[in-house]
Amino acid sequence: MNDAAPAPAPAPAPRKRARVRAPELIGKGGWINTGGKDLKLADFRGRTLILDFWTFCCINCLHVLDELRELEEKHRDTVVIVGVHSPKFVHEAEHQAVVDAVERYGVEHPVLDDPELATWKQYAVRAWPTLVVIDPEGYVVAQHAGEGHAHAIARLVEELEAEHEAKGTLRRGDGPYVAPEPEPTVLRFPGKALLLPSGTFLVSDTTRHQLVELAEDGETVLRRIGSGARGFADGTADTATFNEPQGLTLLDGDVVVADTVNHALRRLDLSTGEVTTLAGTGRQWWQGSPSSGPAREVDLSSPWDVAVFGGRVWIAMAGVHQLWAYDPAAGTVAVAAGTTNEGLVDGPGDEAWFAQPSGLAATADRLWLADSETSALRWVDLDGVVHTAVGTGLFDFGHRDGDAAQALLQHPLGVTALPDGSVAVADTYNHALRRYDPATGEVSTLATDLREPSDAVLAGEDIVVVESARHRLTRLRLPEEAVRVESVAHRTQRAATEVRPGRLQLDVIFQAPAGQKLDTRYGPSTRLLVSSTPPGLLLAGEGADTDLSRTLELDPAVTEGVLHVSAMAASCDDDPANEYPACHVHQQDWGVPVRLTEGGADRLPLVLAGMDDQETAGPA
């Protein structure tokens, strides 16, 4: 009898992948979360490196941070995630603002601050967020734009782990992350505030996952609601858990809370401190999910603020660029306005476009909203029609007072109705409190030197501002003399892509993850929607279709504009024996600034997932 163990079956040959040598990591702002150490690409050799190109204004980027948490924990000894912070807004190029954002959103990996977009350009990134996977030998092996790719990356990570362990090129051990020292402040990056009937203030202490009731002085802590642990559990003031709560509004004597990262609305009983769930399942809404129905059975997506208007609780659904509404009588939720397309389009609610609505304030006849990514102040009338008071689109922002048609804001997160019919805007990235007067159509500045104001509430003759990045409430007197501020106008730091006038080949690159195939059981599994600003830029190629490649016709008379591209692809596990395969939706919206020049490109590749086979001069 032979007691020797049988020879092991040969390992399957690794899947052949396109490999491109990864460029060096460069960022003028330096490194965060490394204990002061500067890192180079060579420091990650032997590990799978995932670069997360993000900017802290971007809700989709925040979704990806949450998607990656499980993978980061599970593969902590073989995988390193590095955030490459690539700013859109001027404020996001400030190093301290990036440091604040890293703490605010609980980022537990190294972050490279790249204010000049040097690494973004080296990796030919075109969208926030974008994930790039680099193998342990320093080669780019995958790129994914948008959300919903965590499952595909997790599978790739496991393949790379096995492959490089067999080759002897895998190095296990602790990563370079060094946690910052905690700061002993009463609040930590508070989001929104609410004046309670008692005259006290309720504040969403966002980074600490709690609600805090402060006395009338805005400083003394009366009680905390929530355990302080990140989670999703109903219960008492001591046991209930939240996940980065934001907006607050009164409803029938209780408080409705926009529990942002839990994708839920919660109810706080002010008398008992009991927390229950009003709406949401804890899961994030995806295209194809129900957009109306019983409130506890419908998924939501990053609700950022809430306000009672017309008998319903309106929800700034930042994660899908829409407004939803909760009907307390029927116990239902439904879309109230917005198409999920990102941009600035007015009109009937079912035709309007928003871009990350983040602040709400209701009056008798208007619902005001801060539409953060378009740096706009907008409003909804009683007929559900959407209007814009200040703002022009995704790429224009700044600090300019005067006539609303030419006034500029920078990523506002809050709006407050004032007694005279005007509104105050928490102009977050301008560190200012602004005022818009519908009677005159004028925009003015009420206060400056506020640090990332995210909300404000009226308290008698005062307005109390949530200074999120100073971790406090600040009381100002109204009316305040306008502060003279130098007018500054900006455009996004993203350089325009130079393309030829006339025919432009648009290719959205999508390769189903390993072990999956396109899901064609119910018809086409892909969708491509194209439009432009200004609309005249596109002579042909606008609209929706199922093909991910399309020939566009650009008007030579329009020298600059923005191409808006939205792509979706659905893939499922490719296992005939599995009766119920797991399926995944991959989706991304791009806003691509273009400049028409005779020497420009005649092809525009946008990577949804995979590698662009036609790109040979560097990573796709």
Coordinates of all heavy atoms in Angstrom, one line a residue, residues 273-329:
G273 N -36.6 59.5 23.2 CA -35.3 59.2 22.6 C -35.3 58.0 21.8 O -34.2 57.5 21.3
E274 N -36.4 57.3 21.6 CA -36.5 56.1 20.8 C -36.3 56.4 19.3 O -36.9 57.4 18.8 CB -37.9 55.5 21.1 CG -38.1 54.1 20.5 CD -37.5 53.0 21.5 OE1 -37.2 53.3 22.6 OE2 -37.3 51.9 21.0
V275 N -35.6 55.5 18.7 CA -35.3 55.7 17.2 C -35.9 54.5 16.5 O -35.7 53.3 16.9 CB -33.8 55.7 16.9 CG1 -33.5 55.8 15.4 CG2 -33.2 56.9 17.6
T276 N -36.7 54.8 15.5 CA -37.3 53.7 14.6 C -37.0 54.1 13.1 O -36.5 55.2 12.8 CB -38.8 53.6 14.8 OG1 -39.4 54.9 14.6 CG2 -39.2 53.1 16.2
T277 N -37.3 53.2 12.3 CA -37.0 53.4 10.8 C -38.4 53.7 10.1 O -39.3 52.9 10.2 CB -36.4 52.2 10.2 OG1 -35.1 52.0 10.9 CG2 -36.1 52.4 8.7
L278 N -38.4 54.8 9.4 CA -39.6 55.1 8.6 C -39.5 54.6 7.2 O -40.6 54.2 6.6 CB -39.7 56.7 8.5 CG -40.2 57.5 9.7 CD1 -40.2 58.9 9.3 CD2 -41.6 57.0 10.0
A279 N -38.4 54.7 6.5 CA -38.3 54.4 5.1 C -36.9 53.8 4.8 O -35.9 54.2 5.4 CB -38.6 55.6 4.2
G280 N -36.8 53.0 3.8 CA -35.6 52.4 3.3 C -35.3 51.0 3.9 O -35.9 50.6 4.9
T281 N -34.5 50.3 3.2 CA -34.2 48.9 3.6 C -32.7 48.8 4.2 O -32.4 47.7 4.6 CB -34.3 48.0 2.4 OG1 -33.3 48.4 1.4 CG2 -35.7 48.1 1.8
G282 N -32.0 49.9 4.1 CA -30.5 49.8 4.4 C -29.7 49.4 3.1 O -28.5 49.5 3.2
R283 N -30.4 49.1 2.0 CA -29.7 48.9 0.8 C -29.7 50.1 -0.1 O -30.7 50.8 -0.1 CB -30.3 47.7 0.0 CG -30.1 46.3 0.8 CD -30.7 45.2 0.0 NE -32.1 45.4 -0.4 CZ -33.1 45.0 0.4 NH1 -32.9 44.3 1.5 NH2 -34.4 45.2 0.0
Q284 N -28.7 50.3 -1.0 CA -28.7 51.4 -1.9 C -29.5 51.1 -3.1 O -29.5 50.0 -3.7 CB -27.2 51.7 -2.3 CG -27.0 52.9 -3.2 CD -25.6 53.0 -3.6 OE1 -24.7 52.5 -2.9 NE2 -25.4 53.7 -4.7
W285 N -30.3 52.1 -3.6 CA -31.1 52.0 -4.8 C -30.2 51.9 -6.0 O -29.3 52.7 -6.1 CB -32.0 53.2 -4.9 CG -33.1 53.2 -6.0 CD1 -34.3 52.7 -5.9 CD2 -32.9 53.6 -7.3 NE1 -35.0 52.8 -7.1 CE2 -34.1 53.4 -8.0 CE3 -31.8 54.2 -8.0 CZ2 -34.3 53.7 -9.4 CZ3 -32.0 54.5 -9.4 CH2 -33.2 54.2 -10.0
W286 N -30.6 51.0 -6.9 CA -29.9 50.9 -8.2 C -30.9 51.0 -9.3 O -32.1 50.7 -9.1 CB -29.2 49.6 -8.3 CG -27.9 49.5 -7.4 CD1 -27.8 49.0 -6.2 CD2 -26.7 50.1 -7.7 NE1 -26.6 49.1 -5.7 CE2 -25.8 49.8 -6.6 CE3 -26.1 50.7 -8.9 CZ2 -24.5 50.2 -6.6 CZ3 -24.8 51.1 -8.8 CH2 -24.0 50.8 -7.7
Q287 N -30.5 51.3 -10.5 CA -31.4 51.4 -11.7 C -32.1 50.0 -11.8 O -31.5 49.0 -11.7 CB -30.6 51.6 -13.0 CG -30.1 53.0 -13.1 CD -31.1 54.1 -13.4 OE1 -32.3 53.7 -13.6 NE2 -30.8 55.3 -13.4
G288 N -33.4 50.1 -12.0 CA -34.2 48.9 -12.1 C -34.9 48.5 -10.8 O -35.9 47.7 -10.8
S289 N -34.5 49.1 -9.7 CA -35.2 48.9 -8.4 C -36.5 49.7 -8.4 O -36.6 50.7 -9.1 CB -34.3 49.4 -7.2 OG -33.0 48.7 -7.2
P290 N -37.4 49.3 -7.6 CA -38.7 50.0 -7.5 C -38.4 51.5 -7.0 O -37.6 51.7 -6.1 CB -39.5 49.2 -6.4 CG -38.9 47.9 -6.4 CD -37.5 48.0 -6.8
S291 N -39.1 52.4 -7.6 CA -39.0 53.8 -7.2 C -40.2 54.3 -6.5 O -40.4 55.6 -6.4 CB -38.6 54.6 -8.5 OG -39.6 54.5 -9.5
S292 N -41.1 53.5 -6.1 CA -42.2 53.8 -5.3 C -42.8 52.6 -4.6 O -42.5 51.5 -5.0 CB -43.3 54.5 -6.1 OG -43.9 53.5 -7.1
G293 N -43.5 52.8 -3.5 CA -44.1 51.7 -2.8 C -44.1 51.8 -1.3 O -43.7 52.9 -0.8
P294 N -44.4 50.8 -0.6 CA -44.3 50.8 0.9 C -42.9 51.3 1.4 O -41.9 50.8 0.9 CB -44.6 49.4 1.3 CG -45.4 48.8 0.2 CD -44.8 49.5 -1.0
A295 N -42.9 52.3 2.2 CA -41.7 53.0 2.6 C -40.6 52.0 3.1 O -39.4 52.2 2.8 CB -41.9 54.1 3.6
R296 N -40.9 51.0 3.9 CA -39.9 50.1 4.4 C -39.4 49.1 3.5 O -38.5 48.3 3.8 CB -40.5 49.5 5.7 CG -40.7 50.4 6.9 CD -39.4 50.9 7.5 NE -38.5 49.8 7.8 CZ -38.5 49.2 9.0 NH1 -39.4 49.5 9.9 NH2 -37.6 48.3 9.3
E297 N -40.1 49.0 2.3 CA -39.7 48.0 1.3 C -39.0 48.6 0.1 O -38.6 47.8 -0.8 CB -41.0 47.3 0.8 CG -41.7 46.6 1.9 CD -43.0 46.0 1.5 OE1 -43.2 45.8 0.2 OE2 -43.9 45.7 2.3
V298 N -38.8 49.9 0.0 CA -38.1 50.5 -1.2 C -36.7 51.0 -0.8 O -36.6 51.6 0.3 CB -39.0 51.7 -1.7 CG1 -38.3 52.4 -2.8 CG2 -40.4 51.2 -2.1
D299 N -35.7 50.7 -1.6 CA -34.4 51.1 -1.4 C -34.3 52.6 -1.6 O -34.9 53.1 -2.6 CB -33.4 50.4 -2.3 CG -33.4 48.9 -2.1 OD1 -33.8 48.4 -1.0 OD2 -33.0 48.2 -3.0
L300 N -33.4 53.3 -0.9 CA -33.2 54.7 -1.1 C -31.7 54.9 -1.5 O -30.9 53.9 -1.5 CB -33.5 55.5 0.2 CG -34.9 55.4 0.8 CD1 -35.0 56.3 2.0 CD2 -36.0 55.6 -0.2
S301 N -31.2 56.1 -1.7 CA -29.8 56.3 -2.1 C -29.3 57.6 -1.6 O -29.6 58.7 -2.1 CB -29.7 56.3 -3.6 OG -28.3 56.4 -4.0
S302 N -28.6 57.5 -0.5 CA -27.9 58.7 0.2 C -28.9 59.9 0.4 O -28.6 61.0 -0.2 CB -26.7 59.1 -0.6 OG -25.7 58.1 -0.6
P303 N -29.9 59.7 1.1 CA -30.8 60.9 1.4 C -30.0 61.9 2.2 O -29.4 61.5 3.3 CB -31.9 60.3 2.2 CG -31.4 59.0 2.8 CD -30.4 58.5 1.8
W304 N -29.9 63.1 1.8 CA -29.0 64.1 2.4 C -29.8 65.1 3.2 O -29.2 65.7 4.2 CB -28.2 64.8 1.3 CG -26.9 65.3 1.9 CD1 -26.6 66.5 2.5 CD2 -25.6 64.6 1.8 NE1 -25.3 66.6 2.8 CE2 -24.6 65.5 2.4 CE3 -25.2 63.4 1.3 CZ2 -23.3 65.1 2.5 CZ3 -23.8 63.1 1.4 CH2 -22.9 63.9 2.0
D305 N -31.0 65.4 2.9 CA -31.8 66.4 3.6 C -33.3 66.1 3.5 O -33.7 65.4 2.6 CB -31.5 67.8 3.2 CG -31.8 68.9 4.3 OD1 -32.2 68.4 5.4 OD2 -31.7 70.1 4.1
V306 N -34.1 66.6 4.4 CA -35.5 66.4 4.4 C -36.2 67.7 4.8 O -35.7 68.5 5.6 CB -35.9 65.2 5.4 CG1 -35.6 63.9 4.8 CG2 -35.2 65.4 6.7
A307 N -37.4 67.9 4.3 CA -38.3 69.0 4.6 C -39.7 68.7 4.3 O -40.0 68.0 3.4 CB -37.8 70.3 3.8
V308 N -40.6 69.2 5.1 CA -42.0 69.0 4.9 C -42.6 70.1 4.0 O -42.4 71.3 4.3 CB -42.8 69.0 6.3 CG1 -44.3 68.8 6.1 CG2 -42.3 67.9 7.2
F309 N -43.2 69.6 2.9 CA -43.7 70.5 1.9 C -45.0 69.9 1.3 O -44.9 68.8 0.8 CB -42.7 70.8 0.8 CG -43.1 71.7 -0.3 CD1 -43.5 73.0 -0.1 CD2 -43.2 71.2 -1.6 CE1 -43.8 73.9 -1.1 CE2 -43.6 72.1 -2.7 CZ -43.9 73.4 -2.4
G310 N -46.1 70.6 1.4 CA -47.3 70.1 0.8 C -47.8 68.8 1.5 O -48.4 67.9 0.8
G311 N -47.5 68.7 2.8 CA -48.0 67.5 3.5 C -47.2 66.3 3.4 O -47.5 65.2 4.0
R312 N -46.1 66.3 2.6 CA -45.2 65.2 2.5 C -43.8 65.6 2.9 O -43.4 66.7 3.0 CB -45.2 64.7 1.0 CG -46.5 64.2 0.5 CD -46.3 63.6 -0.9 NE -46.0 64.7 -1.9 CZ -45.7 64.5 -3.1 NH1 -45.5 63.2 -3.6 NH2 -45.4 65.5 -4.0
V313 N -43.0 64.6 3.3 CA -41.6 64.8 3.6 C -40.8 64.6 2.4 O -40.7 63.5 1.8 CB -41.1 63.8 4.7 CG1 -39.6 64.0 5.0 CG2 -41.9 63.9 6.0
W314 N -40.3 65.7 1.8 CA -39.5 65.7 0.6 C -38.1 65.3 1.0 O -37.5 65.7 2.1 CB -39.5 67.0 -0.1 CG -40.8 67.2 -0.8 CD1 -42.1 67.3 -0.2 CD2 -41.0 67.4 -2.2 NE1 -43.0 67.5 -1.2 CE2 -42.4 67.6 -2.4 CE3 -40.2 67.4 -3.3 CZ2 -43.0 67.7 -3.7 CZ3 -40.7 67.6 -4.6 CH2 -42.1 67.7 -4.8
I315 N -37.4 64.6 0.1 CA -36.1 64.0 0.4 C -35.1 64.4 -0.7 O -35.4 64.2 -1.9 CB -36.1 62.5 0.5 CG1 -37.3 62.0 1.4 CG2 -34.8 61.9 0.9 CD1 -37.6 60.5 1.2
A316 N -34.0 65.1 -0.3 CA -33.0 65.4 -1.3 C -32.2 64.1 -1.5 O -31.3 63.8 -0.6 CB -32.1 66.5 -0.7
M317 N -32.5 63.3 -2.5 CA -31.9 62.0 -2.7 C -30.6 62.2 -3.5 O -30.5 62.0 -4.7 CB -32.8 61.1 -3.4 CG -32.5 59.6 -3.2 SD -32.9 59.1 -1.6 CE -34.6 58.8 -1.7
A318 N -29.5 62.6 -2.8 CA -28.3 63.0 -3.4 C -27.7 61.9 -4.3 O -27.1 62.2 -5.3 CB -27.3 63.5 -2.4
G319 N -27.9 60.7 -3.8 CA -27.2 59.5 -4.5 C -27.7 59.3 -5.9 O -27.0 58.6 -6.7
V320 N -28.9 59.7 -6.2 CA -29.4 59.5 -7.6 C -29.9 60.7 -8.3 O -30.6 60.7 -9.3 CB -30.6 58.4 -7.6 CG1 -30.0 57.0 -7.4 CG2 -31.6 58.7 -6.5
H321 N -29.5 61.9 -7.7 CA -29.8 63.2 -8.3 C -31.4 63.4 -8.5 O -31.8 63.8 -9.6 CB -29.1 63.3 -9.7 CG -27.7 62.9 -9.6 ND1 -26.7 63.5 -8.8 CD2 -27.0 61.8 -10.3 CE1 -25.6 62.8 -9.0 NE2 -25.7 61.9 -9.8
Q322 N -32.1 63.1 -7.5 CA -33.6 63.2 -7.6 C -34.1 63.8 -6.3 O -33.4 63.9 -5.2 CB -34.2 61.9 -7.8 CG -34.0 61.2 -9.1 CD -34.7 59.9 -9.3 OE1 -34.6 59.0 -8.4 NE2 -35.5 59.7 -10.3
L323 N -35.4 64.2 -6.3 CA -36.1 64.5 -5.1 C -37.2 63.4 -5.0 O -37.9 63.1 -5.9 CB -36.8 65.8 -5.2 CG -36.0 67.1 -5.4 CD1 -36.8 68.3 -5.5 CD2 -34.9 67.2 -4.3
W324 N -37.3 62.8 -3.8 CA -38.3 61.8 -3.5 C -39.2 62.4 -2.4 O -38.9 63.5 -1.9 CB -37.7 60.5 -3.0 CG -37.0 59.7 -4.0 CD1 -36.2 60.1 -5.0 CD2 -37.0 58.3 -4.1 NE1 -35.7 59.1 -5.7 CE2 -36.2 57.9 -5.2 CE3 -37.7 57.2 -3.4 CZ2 -36.0 56.6 -5.6 CZ3 -37.5 55.9 -3.8 CH2 -36.7 55.6 -4.9
A325 N -40.3 61.7 -2.1 CA -41.2 62.2 -1.1 C -41.8 61.0 -0.3 O -42.1 60.0 -0.9 CB -42.4 63.0 -1.7
Y326 N -41.9 61.2 1.0 CA -42.5 60.2 1.9 C -43.8 60.7 2.3 O -44.0 61.9 2.7 CB -41.6 60.0 3.1 CG -42.2 59.3 4.3 CD1 -42.5 57.9 4.2 CD2 -42.6 60.0 5.4 CE1 -43.1 57.3 5.2 CE2 -43.2 59.3 6.5 CZ -43.5 58.0 6.4 OH -44.1 57.3 7.4
D327 N -44.9 59.9 2.1 CA -46.2 60.3 2.5 C -46.5 59.6 3.8 O -46.7 58.4 3.9 CB -47.2 59.7 1.4 CG -48.6 60.2 1.7 OD1 -49.0 60.4 2.8 OD2 -49.4 60.2 0.7
P328 N -46.6 60.4 4.9 CA -46.8 59.8 6.2 C -48.1 59.2 6.4 O -48.3 58.2 7.2 CB -46.6 61.0 7.2 CG -46.8 62.2 6.3 CD -46.4 61.9 4.9
A329 N -49.1 59.7 5.7 CA -50.5 59.1 5.8 C -50.5 57.7 5.2 O -51.1 56.8 5.8 CB -51.5 60.0 5.2

